[in-house]
Amino acid sequence: MTDRWTQLANVLSTRPRRPLAAGEATAAAVLVPLQVVDGAIHVVYTRRAQAMPTHAGQVAFPGGVCDPTRDADAAATALREAYEEIGLAPHDVRVLGALDDISTVSSRFLITPFVGVAPHPYTWVPNPREVDTVFSVALERLRAPDAERRELWNFDGTAVPIDFFPIDGQMIWGATHRITRNLLDVLREVG
């Protein structure tokens, strides 16, 4: 698997990346943790606590607002937040590189996602103020032809087409869906 991680790191570092200008948005970073479970690559997700001020109860990647007084760069933010949210120690993560930046509409975040490899098994320690649960999904399930769906959802009286992955009672949509979709596209380049 080490060769595959090296290939993924090379693809992430050499492909044209789509960074976005922050403008009025708040800079944030997330970690997209990957693990090898029984020989299969899994993507690790969290479900945000119901008491969170933004995106409460939604499936997410561990991450948060960039803080230049605490973090050297956006990757450091992603690692710090992963440790604070789920107990994933920075020294246990091999950061492979960044995916494309994405922006959120309602909360006005500009998110830089970083792909990292975490060991398996790992003892997750969810921070109950921020995370309800930690779970993983096999990459093959996300790649399955029927894994992704599109529906019209009602937002303040407007029907909006939403793409999502409904998996094991979890709804992976919004920014997390777009980051997952970008990851799947990049992994296709690796083979």
Side-chain angles (χ1 to χ4, degrees):
M1 197 57 72
T2 301
D3 289 340
R4 184 168 223 170
W5 298 141
T6 301
Q7 288 177 324
L8 179 54
N10 288 338
V11 167
L12 287 168
S13 67
T14 59
R15 74 186 183 90
R17 196 173 154 272
R18 291 184 299 243
L20 299 174
E24 299 285 322
T26 301
V30 299
L31 183 67
V32 181
L34 304 179
Q35 291 184 303
V36 178
V37 180
D38 297 328
I41 297 173
H42 281 235
V43 183
V44 177
Y45 295 95
T46 69
R47 189 179 63 231
R48 292 172 59 85
Q50 291 296 330
M52 292 297 290
T54 59
H55 307 288
Q58 293 182 10
V59 173
F61 292 110
V65 174
C66 294
D67 181 351
T69 66
R70 296 172 68 187
D71 305 319
D73 55 24
T77 296
L79 291 170
R80 174 181 54 78
E81 288 284 342
Y83 181 67
E84 291 175 5
E85 290 181 20
I86 61 174
L88 179 56
H91 65 267
D92 288 336
V93 179
R94 177 181 173 192
V95 176
L96 301 179
L99 295 168
D100 294 335
D101 291 347
I102 67 154
S103 59
T104 61
V105 177
S106 63
S107 54
R108 309 230 350 108
F109 286 110
L110 176 66
I111 303 168
T112 302
F114 290 90
V115 178
V117 180
H120 176 78
Y122 202 86
T123 303
W124 305 117
V125 184
N127 177 335
R129 290 188 323 272
E130 298 188 52
V131 175
D132 282 341
T133 191
V134 179
F135 66 97
S136 71
V137 178
L139 193 61
E140 289 308 312
R141 290 191 67 197
L142 294 166
R143 287 179 168 162
D146 62 344
E148 196 169 8
R149 297 193 189 146
R150 174 175 281 184
E151 292 178 352
L152 287 177
W153 290 7
N154 185 329
F155 290 94
D156 297 324
T158 302
V160 178
I162 299 293
D163 296 323
F164 62 98
F165 295 100
I167 297 186
D168 297 335
Q170 304 292 345
M171 188 75 69
I172 302 169
W173 71 285
T176 307
H177 171 271
R178 288 184 285 151
I179 293 168
T180 302
R181 169 58 34 225
N182 188 209
L183 173 68
L184 295 174
D185 292 343
V186 169
L187 287 171
R188 190 176 310 119
E189 295 178 39
V190 175

